[in-house]
Amino acid sequence: MARRKSATTCKLIHMTDRPVRIGLTLQPQHMDYPTIRRTASAAEDLGLDVLFTWDHFFPVSGDLDGMHFECWTTLAAWAESTSRVSIGTLVCCNSYRNPDLVADMARTVDHISGGRLVLGMGSGWFKRDYTEYGYEFGTAGSRLDDLAEALPRIESRWGKLNPPPTRKIPVLVGGSGEKKTLRMVARHADIWHSYSDASMLKHKLSVLGEHCAAIGRDPTEIEISLTGKTTDRDELYELGARLFIIYTGGPQPDLTELREFLAWRDKMNA
């Protein structure tokens, strides 16, 4: 490092004991479910670490009225059709379900999968989902406030369920807003996911470190997750990123990039 920031930030930057993991978001759009199932199985066979789906009701690219499947029922199916890979939401939209219901759904999928669920949560953004399914869109700020209220409710509900989750379900929080989102990350997240490049990540880690210091949390407890890019992944790794997530979808999902990222993971973890 050419210069030091704060001790908290440097803890994040010098997090060397956590291995690289590779995630794949299998977009549930523009393909039938048998294709989704085959692709999920193929990705697991290649050695994928975490298999994600997103939480929308319509495609967000290509034919906007094309084929699309719902998030949580897909996850329940993956819990049965896979055996090793972690499965999760990138991300579950907080607006679409009561937080206590989300906790119960997550607990159930956690049991079905034998303890492999990652609960990714976000505040929501895709207006068509809200409009066509009858949810109040609100504002970006109000949706973030709702997420801040939901996260402790989810945690509380996990403590009341019978049976409880199989273990502490990892919580991923997506987003990079400095005043609200990163404060939620510091308080609740096991994983923080953003779309940051290297220069942005340096700054965001500094802000996250300040939020962690304010509540006395060790920031190295938080796994740093990013959308995977080949251009600056080595620099992002040096800054502390350890979970790199790439995307594929229909009509013909391509795992070529996944194979390349898995080879890079194995080199970095050797």
Side-chain angles (χ1 to χ4, degrees), residues 17-30:
D17 59 343
R18 192 190 293 272
V20 172
R21 298 198 298 163
I22 302 300
L24 175 70
T25 297
L26 181 53
Q27 302 163 341
Q29 60 177 13
H30 306 311

Side-chain angles (χ1 to χ4, degrees), residues 1-251:
M1 291 289 296
R3 62 180 180 178
R4 296 178 65 87
K5 292 184 183 279
S6 66
T8 302
T9 303
C10 288
K11 280 184 178 182
L12 278 163
I13 291 173
H14 293 294
M15 181 178 58
T16 59
D17 59 343
R18 192 190 293 272
V20 172
R21 298 198 298 163
I22 302 300
L24 175 70
T25 297
L26 181 53
Q27 302 163 341
Q29 60 177 13
H30 306 311
M31 53 184 159
D32 58 22
Y33 186 74
T35 302
I36 293 174
R37 183 178 61 243
R38 286 194 301 270
T39 306
S41 296
E44 179 177 46
D45 291 344
L46 287 172
L48 178 68
D49 295 297
V50 192
L51 177 65
F52 291 100
T53 187
W54 66 26
D55 190 17
H56 295 294
F57 305 129
F58 303 94
V60 301
S61 61
D63 178 2
L64 300 184
D65 292 313
M67 288 189 291
H68 195 278
F69 290 97
E70 192 274 332
C71 171
W72 279 96
T73 43
T74 297
L75 280 177
W78 286 354
E80 288 284 6
S81 67
T82 62
S83 61
R84 179 199 57 80
V85 69
S86 295
I87 58 175
T89 50
L90 194 69
V91 287
C92 175
C93 178
N94 178 63
S95 305
Y96 301 160
R97 303 165 191 87
N98 175 287
D100 294 272
L101 174 60
V102 170
D104 203 341
M105 293 166 68
R107 179 279 310 254
T108 300
V109 172
D110 184 58
H111 274 266
I112 296 169
S113 67
R116 293 184 286 126
L117 180 74
V118 175
L119 177 61
M121 293 296 298
S123 60
W125 64 273
F126 191 41
K127 191 172 184 178
R128 183 182 181 188
D129 285 345
Y130 288 79
T131 301
E132 296 214 24
Y133 276 61
Y135 299 108
E136 181 180 350
F137 190 57
T139 65
S142 69
R143 295 193 299 274
L144 283 168
D145 292 341
D146 289 343
L147 178 59
E149 293 179 3
L151 289 170
R153 282 181 60 182
I154 291 169
E155 295 166 355
S156 176
R157 179 56 56 186
W158 280 337
K160 301 173 184 177
L161 292 171
N162 184 16
T166 66
R167 87 287 196 222
K168 183 188 182 303
I169 295 175
V171 173
L172 177 153
V173 173
S176 56
E178 296 179 12
K179 293 182 179 180
K180 293 184 176 182
T181 303
L182 291 182
R183 182 179 290 113
M184 283 185 267
V185 171
R187 288 192 174 278
H188 300 286
D190 302 287
I191 306 168
W192 167 49
H193 182 76
S194 75
Y195 297 90
S196 303
D197 59 19
S199 61
M200 183 183 295
L201 183 62
K202 290 179 184 179
H203 173 67
K204 297 296 182 180
L205 287 175
S206 178
V207 175
L208 178 58
E210 293 171 0
H211 285 306
C212 287
I215 62 172
R217 185 178 184 190
D218 181 356
T220 65
E221 296 174 357
I222 303 170
E223 184 175 21
I224 307 303
S225 170
L226 294 165
T227 298
K229 301 183 292 291
T230 58
T231 52
D232 59 354
R233 66 187 177 191
D234 291 312
E235 188 176 1
L236 293 165
Y237 175 88
E238 290 300 321
L239 290 171
R242 290 297 183 270
L243 177 56
F244 294 80
I245 302 173
I246 60 176
Y247 295 79
T248 193

Side-chain angles (χ1 to χ4, degrees), residues 242-260:
R242 290 297 183 270
L243 177 56
F244 294 80
I245 302 173
I246 60 176
Y247 295 79
T248 193
Q252 296 179 330
D254 186 353
L255 299 183
T256 302
E257 187 180 27
L258 174 61
R259 292 184 177 90
E260 198 278 331

